[in-house]
Amino acid sequence: MSDHILDSVDPAHFARTLVHTGLRAATNPVGVTSALLKAGATAMRVGAATMAKAANTADPDAPPPVAPEPKDHRWTNQQWRDNPYFFGLQQTYLLSRKLVDDIIDAANLNEAEHRKATFAASFAFDALAPTNLLITNPDALSTAVATGGASVVKGTANFLRDVQHNDGWPSKVDDSGFEPGLNMAMTPGQVVYRSNLIELIQYQPQTEQVYETPLLFCPPWINKYYIMDLAPQKSLIEWAVQHGHTCFAISYRNPDESMRNTTFEDYLHQGPLDALRVVREITGRPKVNTVNVCLGGTLTAIAMAYGAAIDDQPVGTATFLNTLTDFSDPGVLGAFTDEPTVAGLERKMADQGYLEASEMARTFDAIRANDLIFQYVVNNWLLGEDPPAFDLLAWNNDSTRMPARMHSSYLRRCYLQNQFAHNAFEIDGTPVIPGHITQDCYVLSAIDDHIVPWTAAYRTATLLGGHNRFVLSTSGHIAGIVNPPGPKARHWTNDHIAEEPDQWLEGAEQHQDTWWEDWARWIGERAGKKVDAPPHLGSDDFPPADDAPGLYVKMRPGDSLAA
C-alpha cells in the first residue's frame, strides 16, 4: 500500500533520489565544505553587485557573478540585468542551483545515480524559478499594468481551465482546429487490412510509374502514425508517394484494459511482421523496404534480426529515424527508466492494465521542462495568452496508451538490460543478433533530440551488420523528422561510419537542404526498377475498406472497437 502511495506522489522517485544524494554527500564533508565556501564567496559578490545596482554605481558592462546559460530564454528581459530587485532574485536563484549541483558532485554517486539526481534537482529548480511567479516576473508585471489587469484575469481563467481539464498541467496547444483526415493525415489512401492491433493503409500512387519494391512506414506504438503524414507539404509519406514509391503505413490501435496481457512478441508478430506479410501478398514482391520511427525502429530492427535467425527475411532495406537499438546511453530519459521507477510503473499498470498516454507524454515534456512546461506556465497563466494552434504540437498531444505487459517487457529488456545490443534478446526462444542483419540501413538522427540523443542513435549504424549510412539533421525529435524542403533545413553526411559519433561528425559535410533529398536518392537506388503504378489499391484478398487515415487513428480512450 505504501509503495502505491509513494508511486502516485513521486512516480520517478525524484524526492527519494535527492534524499539519498544528501545522505551520500554527508559522507564527504570536505567536498561539501568546498562547495559551501565557493558559494559563500560568490554570494558576497552577488550582494556587492546588487547593492551597486541599487546605488546606481554598477559598471553596465561588468558580467554578473553567476552568468545564466546563453540559450536560457527566461532572462531576456533587461530588468533581470538592470533592476536590483530582479537582478538579486536571478543571481540568488542561479547561485543556489550551482551550489546544489556542486553538492551532487560531492556525493560521489555512480553514473546512473548522478544523472537522476542532477535531473531531479534541475526539474525542481526549473519549477521554483522566479520567472514562474507573477510577483517575480517582470514581463508578467509589466503586462498586467499595460492591460489594466486583464492579463491576470485571463491567466487565472487559463489556470482554472487547465486544473479542470488538463490535470493541472499548462496546455501546450489549442488542438481544437486539428483533426486527422480533415487537415492532418491527408495523403489519399485506403485501409486494406485491419486486425485487432493494426490497420494497414495503402496510399494512392501519384506518379504513372512506381518503384517495384514497396515501402512500409512503421510508427512507434506510443504515438499516432501521422507524424509521418502530418499535413500537405509536411508529410514524409506524401514525399515518398510523389517520388514514385508504393507506400503503406501501419496505424496502431489505442490500447485499453482488454490488452493488458498483450506481449512484446504480440506487437512484433501482429505489428510489423503481419504488415509485411500483407504488403508482400498485395504487391507480389518478395521484399519490402521500411521506414521506422523511434520505437517503431527498435521493433523493426528486432524483426529483421528475427528474420535472419529463422531464414525468412521480408525486409529489403530499413530506414531508422531517431531510433535506439543500443540503450547503453539513453540520455536524460534514463532518469525515468531505472529499476525503482520501472517497478513503480508496473504496480500502476497492474491496476488499470495500461499506462495512460498522458503519463508518458508528460515524462517527455519533463526532459525539457523549461521549453515544454514552464514556458506555458508563463505564457498561459502569467501573461494570459492562449496556447498556440500548431500542427506538430497537436499531433504530440494525440498520444496513445501502452499495454501493461508489453510496456513492462520493453522497458526491462531494452532500457534496463539492453538485451538486443548484448546479443541476449530472444523472440519465442530464438536468439536475435543485430550483427546478423545484413540489409542496407539508413540511420537518421536529429542533433537537438532530447528523447533519443543523436550520439546514442548513431550506435544503430555501428551495431547492425549491413552497409549503413548515417545522416544527422537539425532540430529535435519531432521536427527532425518533419523536415520538408525550406530555407532553414540542413543536414550533415559522412560516407564513412566511424567507431564513435564525434569522429563521424568531425569528418561530416554540412548541406543546406533537407535530409529528405539525400534519403530520396538513397532509397531510390534500392527500390528496384520502375513499373506501371497499380490500377487499384489492395487486392482480392485484401479489398479496400475505409479511406485513410482509417478508424484507429481517430479512436479516443473509452471508444469501443466497433465504434
Side-chain angles (χ1 to χ4, degrees):
M1 181 67 178
S2 61
D3 283 339
H4 280 74
I5 295 174
L6 290 172
D7 291 338
S8 63
V9 174
D10 183 21
H13 292 223
F14 287 150
R16 284 163 278 188
T17 295
L18 292 176
V19 169
H20 170 71
T21 301
L23 294 174
R24 287 289 300 274
T27 67
N28 182 14
V30 174
V32 173
T33 300
S34 175
L36 291 171
L37 290 173
K38 180 180 175 183
T42 306
M44 293 179 66
R45 297 200 305 273
V46 168
T50 303
M51 292 178 66
K53 288 183 181 295
N56 201 28
T57 60
D59 179 357
D61 297 324
V66 189
E69 293 290 332
K71 293 184 178 180
D72 193 341
H73 58 79
R74 294 176 296 175
W75 317 108
T76 55
N77 191 305
Q78 192 68 27
Q79 293 292 312
W80 292 114
R81 291 181 289 278
D82 297 343
N83 185 294
Y85 168 67
F86 291 116
F87 177 81
L89 278 174
Q90 181 213 52
Q91 289 294 290
T92 301
Y93 167 79
L94 295 175
L95 173 59
S96 300
R97 177 163 185 170
K98 182 66 172 67
L99 172 60
V100 170
D101 287 342
D102 289 343
I103 290 175
I104 291 173
D105 289 340
N108 294 322
L109 304 170
N110 65 40
E111 183 179 354
E113 291 172 336
H114 189 277
R115 178 174 56 205
K116 185 155 188 169
T118 300
F119 179 84
S122 176
F123 184 84
F125 271 95
D126 289 345
L128 296 171
T131 49
N132 295 334
L133 293 175
L134 176 64
I135 61 172
T136 53
N137 185 314
D139 292 306
L141 289 173
S142 60
T143 301
V145 171
T147 61
S151 63
V152 177
V153 174
K154 179 65 182 301
T156 302
N158 288 345
F159 168 74
L160 294 174
R161 182 195 62 215
D162 286 335
V163 168
Q164 183 177 6
H165 299 293
N166 203 39
D167 299 329
W169 291 68
S171 299
K172 299 197 302 291
V173 61
D174 175 9
D175 58 7
S176 59
F178 297 100
E179 182 181 339
L182 180 64
N183 50 15
M184 308 175 82
M186 291 284 290
T187 303
Q190 291 183 300
V191 175
V192 293
Y193 175 70
R194 179 181 294 123
S195 71
N196 195 48
L197 182 64
I198 69 167
E199 287 180 328
L200 183 66
I201 299 167
Q202 183 179 2
Y203 291 93
Q204 187 71 43
Q206 297 183 26
T207 55
E208 291 186 3
Q209 288 198 313
V210 297
Y211 291 105
E212 63 180 348
T213 302
L215 187 62
L216 173 65
F217 288 80
C218 303
W221 59 87
I222 64 171
N223 294 106
K224 301 291 180 68
Y225 85 91
Y226 63 92
I227 185 58
M228 301 178 291
D229 188 25
L230 188 66
Q233 312 305 314
K234 297 181 180 180
S235 167
L236 184 57
I237 290 177
E238 177 189 61
W239 174 266
V241 170
Q242 292 175 349
H243 280 72
H245 295 276
T246 299
C247 293
F248 295 78
I250 295 171
S251 176
Y252 282 102
R253 173 189 171 189
N254 198 352
D256 55 23
E257 196 277 337
S258 68
M259 293 179 64
R260 67 165 52 241
N261 289 319
T262 303
T263 66
F264 188 94
E265 283 75 9
D266 291 333
Y267 264 75
L268 180 75
H269 288 294
Q270 299 173 30
L273 289 179
D274 198 28
L276 287 163
R277 173 186 66 84
V278 176
V279 172
R280 292 165 82 186
E281 292 188 23
I282 288 175
T283 63
R285 302 306 305 170
K287 301 289 185 181
V288 179
N289 292 331
T290 65
V291 178
N292 314 276
V293 176
C294 193
L295 279 67
T298 307
L299 195 62
T300 296
I302 293 170
M304 292 166 70
Y306 178 67
I310 64 173
D311 197 25
D312 181 13
Q313 185 58 266
V315 176
T317 69
T319 298
F320 295 103
L321 309 180
N322 298 341
T323 294
L324 280 179
T325 53
D326 181 342
F327 291 77
S328 58
D329 181 20
V332 179
L333 199 56
F336 296 88
T337 51
D338 56 358
E339 174 61 41
T341 305
V342 171
L345 279 176
E346 289 171 335
R347 288 189 290 269
K348 180 178 290 188
M349 292 188 297
D351 292 336
Q352 55 191 15
Y354 53 83
L355 182 67
E356 190 56 70
S358 60
E359 296 188 45
M360 183 61 73
R362 287 165 187 164
T363 295
F364 293 149
D365 289 348
I367 295 174
R368 284 177 52 198
N370 280 328
D371 292 333
L372 300 177
I373 299 175
F374 300 115
Q375 174 183 224
Y376 299 100
V377 168
V378 174
N379 292 346
N380 301 0
W381 297 354
L382 302 188
L383 300 179
E385 298 176 357
D386 291 322
F390 184 36
D391 50 15
L392 269 179
L393 291 177
W395 168 84
N396 193 53
N397 215 37
D398 189 17
S399 49
T400 62
R401 295 164 165 172
M402 281 142 284
R405 188 173 175 186
M406 191 277 184
H407 194 54
S408 172
S409 177
Y410 165 70
L411 291 176
R412 289 195 171 278
R413 296 162 78 180
C414 292
Y415 277 96
L416 289 182
Q417 299 164 8
N418 198 16
Q419 290 183 2
F420 190 54
H422 292 155
N423 297 335
F425 209 105
E426 293 186 357
I427 295 295
D428 303 331
T430 300
V432 293
I433 310 299
H436 292 175
I437 295 172
T438 59
Q439 297 95 318
D440 290 356
C441 294
Y442 188 101
V443 182
L444 183 282
S445 188
I447 197 167
D448 294 322
D449 194 328
H450 66 294
I451 296 173
V452 179
W454 83 265
T455 51
Y458 180 83
R459 292 191 174 94
T460 295
T462 60
L463 182 67
L464 307 187
H467 180 69
N468 303 324
R469 178 173 180 79
F470 183 81
V471 176
L472 185 62
S473 174
T474 52
S475 301
H477 191 69
I478 301 172
I481 296 171
V482 184
N483 199 254
K488 294 183 179 180
R490 56 194 174 95
H491 67 281
W492 293 264
T493 64
N494 183 347
D495 293 339
H496 174 65
I497 298 297
E499 187 172 339
E500 296 296 332
D502 291 341
Q503 295 171 345
W504 178 92
L505 186 58
E506 287 178 3
E509 177 184 359
Q510 184 179 131
H511 306 272
Q512 300 298 322
D513 62 358
T514 173
W515 67 267
W516 288 13
E517 297 280 5
D518 182 79
W519 175 77
R521 291 188 292 271
W522 183 90
I523 192 68
E525 293 169 357
R526 292 159 177 81
K529 63 183 180 181
K530 290 286 189 76
V531 297
D532 291 339
H536 54 77
L537 303 184
S539 66
D540 291 342
D541 292 332
F542 299 99
D546 303 281
D547 289 337
L551 301 180
Y552 284 175
V553 75
K554 299 180 180 181
M555 287 180 65
R556 302 288 182 176
D559 290 348
S560 67
L561 192 57

